[in-house]
Amino acid sequence: MPVDLQNPLSFKNATGDADTMLQNLQANILKGHVREHLHILLLQFGQGTEGTAEARAFLTGLAPLVKSAKTHLQEVKAFKENGPNDASDVPYVGVGLTFAGYGRLELADRAPSDEAFKRGMQDDATRQKLGDPEVAQWEAGFQEAIHAVVLVGGAEAGTVTTKLQEVEGLLTGSIRVLGREEGRGMHNANHDGIEHFGYVDGRSQPLFLTEDLEEERRRTDGISVWNPAQPLERVLVADPAAPDPATDFGSYFVLRKLEQNVRAFRQAEEALADALKLENDDRERAGAMLVGRFKDGTPLTLQATPGAHGPVMNNFTYDSDKDAHKCPYQAHIRKTNPRGSGGFGQPPEAERRHLMARRGQTYGERTEGDLPETGVGLLFMAFNSDLNKQFEFTQHTWANNPGFPQPEKQDDPDPGLDQVIGQGDRPPATWPKVWGEEEGQEVPAMAQAVTMKGGEYFFMPSLPFLRGL
Ligand code: HEM
């Protein structure tokens, strides 16, 4: 039976083509792999027949190290049933190719066909669409023609470094390492993953496995109001260069290095609290209005104070906050997932199609109490089946668009840009002075505290493709 792409999948009950698909798919796509310690290599293949041969040899050599989705899911199952075991700490290796990378492999005619993927992130049309800085302002490695990316991630620094060395041992003379990135998980006192501005991150995700949905239903605040289920087709793409596109799938992978100016963001939180004359504990609401959640993950649309973090809630929509008097329209999580309230003529089901599987990780060292202005940030990573409809739509049509979401009342002012990731001119925005009450106040725009330092689009191909090169 063909793989059912229209629904989530039960990996425990997968048989036939669905089971083969899981054996042939890279890990980290359908479900995030642990990547507390993460290394990223940006690679360029050499020119000519020798370059092609070495690139192919590297990828076939890498194939046995690349973890399959099936192996990863079995490891997760064994861990849940029996606790830590020998396999619990086997790092993940993943690999992706750019369109130019397929060219160097002499496979441009069989490369995945997504238009954005073919353009790449350095392309002027892409940069203008996303509002990204000139390529000359990006970090050096990202300015070059990138052909491949390798990710090595896991729970322990030691095993991840050993695995990275194994990968590096496969690199031959014509393959250049253009850049290296290192990610490192950050956590708050509740052990939830956070990003550099201090907010819980990675909580809200589309879920593609029925086992994950069941877990969400039983162990969190549930899925009755906001159901994170998404069909496999939202993340999987038949691998056009693989032996059997009926069982061999991949996914488009977005990588963006986003530097975070922690001091500027902290100043923006304080400035907003001052402008609205928020006092005492209510001052924390300023930051929560920029993000849409309090630092501990409590959704601002649900309550005026933090505290709902055991577990961090995700079973909500903006239905009881249509006028955005609790969570402003311009808050990061309302801009990037309006949960059916965005307007723009899109019914809720259509709106959900823009969501993507986020797999980001923080980078950069800092000491407690530090407010770094450079050198730290987020390695934003996400899997998509359609870059134009998912990542690009979210950044361009939602985050960077001052008119989105469409305010419930026609006379209400435009929301302005996404307060965290919006790129472009920042008009002033209007904020609720008191949680849940109508009176709003216009405040001059905060400075942009997130700067794009480089990135690229990749396709993470199937394992049979890699083996057969
Ligand atoms: C959620 C921070 C970049 C899309 C979140 C959350 C935080 C956060 C704190 C709340 C946790 C959660 O609900 O999972 C950041 C920071 C960024 C960044 C600091 C940059 C440095 C991006 C980018 C995109 C994006 C580039 C896409 C273009 C999303 C989405 C959600 C989210 C879709 C989930 C919203 C929901 O479902 O409610 N982000 N983010 N983020 N972010 Fe970001």
Side-chain angles (χ1 to χ4, degrees):
M1 224 173 66
V3 180
D4 175 8
L5 296 173
Q6 312 299 320
N7 288 293
L9 170 81
S10 163
F11 80 86
K12 287 184 186 160
N13 298 322
T15 54
D17 282 356
D19 185 55
T20 311
M21 180 275 284
L22 290 175
Q23 293 175 43
N24 295 352
L25 182 73
Q26 296 192 36
N28 201 32
I29 297 173
L30 291 179
K31 180 184 181 75
H33 191 284
V34 177
R35 48 195 186 283
E36 282 301 292
H37 295 266
L38 175 75
H39 289 273
I40 301 181
L41 297 179
L42 302 174
L43 303 178
Q44 188 178 66
F45 299 141
Q47 288 178 343
T49 45
E50 194 188 318
T52 302
E54 286 195 24
R56 287 180 173 229
F58 168 71
L59 293 170
T60 44
L62 193 67
L65 304 185
V66 174
K67 199 181 273 193
S68 75
K70 175 145 182 167
T71 302
H72 174 222
L73 295 170
Q74 279 172 335
E75 286 168 5
V76 173
K77 182 168 171 275
F79 185 89
K80 280 195 182 135
E81 287 170 359
N82 308 315
N85 56 60
D86 287 351
S88 316
D89 191 26
V90 178
Y92 147 77
V93 176
V95 61
L97 295 166
T98 59
F99 186 62
Y102 276 92
R104 283 285 156 102
L105 295 172
E106 301 286 344
L107 287 172
D109 53 337
R110 286 166 63 203
S113 58
D114 184 286
E115 283 306 315
F117 170 70
K118 287 180 157 176
R119 264 191 267 122
M121 222 180 263
Q122 292 181 2
D123 182 77
D124 281 345
T126 310
R127 279 194 317 94
Q128 276 153 22
K129 182 174 181 187
L130 302 177
D132 284 345
E134 298 278 342
V135 177
Q137 291 168 27
W138 296 9
E139 286 186 4
F142 286 102
Q143 292 188 24
E144 310 231 19
I146 301 170
H147 294 144
V149 66
V150 179
L151 307 185
V152 183
E156 303 295 335
T159 48
V160 172
T161 305
T162 308
K163 191 63 87 180
L164 176 70
Q165 286 163 352
E166 255 183 272
V167 171
E168 287 170 335
L170 299 169
L171 295 169
T172 48
S174 68
I175 305 177
R176 275 179 67 204
V177 178
L178 301 175
R180 291 170 184 272
E181 300 297 335
E182 198 176 334
R184 182 77 194 272
M186 289 167 64
H187 298 268
N188 62 17
N190 306 321
H191 307 294
D192 291 314
I194 57 171
E195 49 68 49
H196 276 285
F197 295 148
Y199 292 78
V200 167
D201 199 4
R203 169 65 182 96
S204 176
Q205 294 282 7
L207 299 181
F208 306 104
L209 299 171
T210 56
E211 287 81 4
D212 284 349
L213 285 160
E214 186 56 17
E215 182 112 343
E216 184 81 5
R217 198 174 64 75
R218 285 165 42 161
R219 293 186 185 237
T220 72
D221 53 330
I223 59 171
S224 54
V225 182
W226 171 253
N227 185 345
Q230 288 271 8
L232 294 185
E233 67 177 2
R234 204 69 72 235
V235 71
L236 296 190
V237 176
D239 183 343
D244 185 356
T247 51
D248 303 341
F249 288 83
S251 187
Y252 293 105
F253 177 69
V254 179
L255 171 65
R256 280 166 84 76
K257 185 168 189 180
L258 300 175
E259 186 174 73
Q260 293 178 253
N261 183 334
V262 179
R263 184 176 297 276
F265 195 79
R266 179 65 58 83
Q267 283 165 352
E269 291 171 323
E270 296 298 329
L272 183 58
D274 289 344
L276 300 178
K277 301 195 172 54
L278 307 187
E279 286 180 352
N280 305 319
D281 288 352
D282 195 35
R283 287 181 68 83
E284 262 193 77
R285 200 163 48 84
M289 287 198 286
L290 302 175
V291 174
R293 291 183 184 267
F294 285 92
K295 284 205 169 78
D296 69 358
T298 304
L300 181 60
T301 195
L302 292 184
Q303 58 184 65
T305 52
H309 59 73
V312 175
M313 299 172 89
N314 197 42
N315 191 20
F316 67 91
T317 64
Y318 299 99
D319 277 4
S320 60
D321 188 16
K322 286 198 184 328
D323 292 311
H325 296 153
K326 298 171 183 169
C327 177
Y329 294 122
Q330 61 271 25
H332 175 55
I333 69 161
R334 191 157 182 170
K335 278 283 224 185
T336 55
N337 182 6
R339 300 184 183 227
S341 70
F344 265 35
Q346 286 210 305
E349 265 318 304
E351 208 180 70
R352 289 167 65 85
R353 293 193 184 155
H354 305 298
L355 300 178
M356 64 204 124
R358 290 177 299 128
R359 304 283 182 253
Q361 185 55 284
T362 47
Y363 74 86
E365 296 290 320
R366 59 191 278 197
T367 40
E368 184 112 21
D370 230 16
L371 294 178
E373 291 171 47
T374 56
V376 304
L378 181 71
L379 296 164
F380 176 84
M381 293 175 265
F383 287 106
N384 298 233
S385 58
D386 184 328
L387 291 167
N388 176 44
K389 289 204 182 110
Q390 292 171 287
F391 166 67
E392 288 200 343
F393 189 95
T394 306
Q395 183 76 51
H396 165 268
T397 311
W398 284 353
N400 294 357
N401 179 355
F404 182 81
Q406 203 170 342
E408 181 74 3
K409 291 202 191 91
Q410 266 191 350
D411 300 343
D412 276 355
D414 276 353
L417 265 53
D418 180 313
Q419 298 296 303
V420 177
I421 60 160
Q423 303 194 121
D425 292 338
R426 298 192 150 219
T430 302
W431 307 86
K433 290 180 76 148
V434 178
W435 188 86
E437 290 187 15
E438 190 169 354
E439 190 190 352
Q441 184 180 322
E442 191 181 278
V443 175
M446 62 178 270
Q448 189 178 318
V450 170
T451 307
M452 195 269 192
K453 305 299 273 186
E456 193 46 283
Y457 295 135
F458 301 88
F459 185 75
M460 293 263 187
S462 64
L463 288 162
F465 164 81
L466 295 172
R467 289 184 201 120
L469 279 170

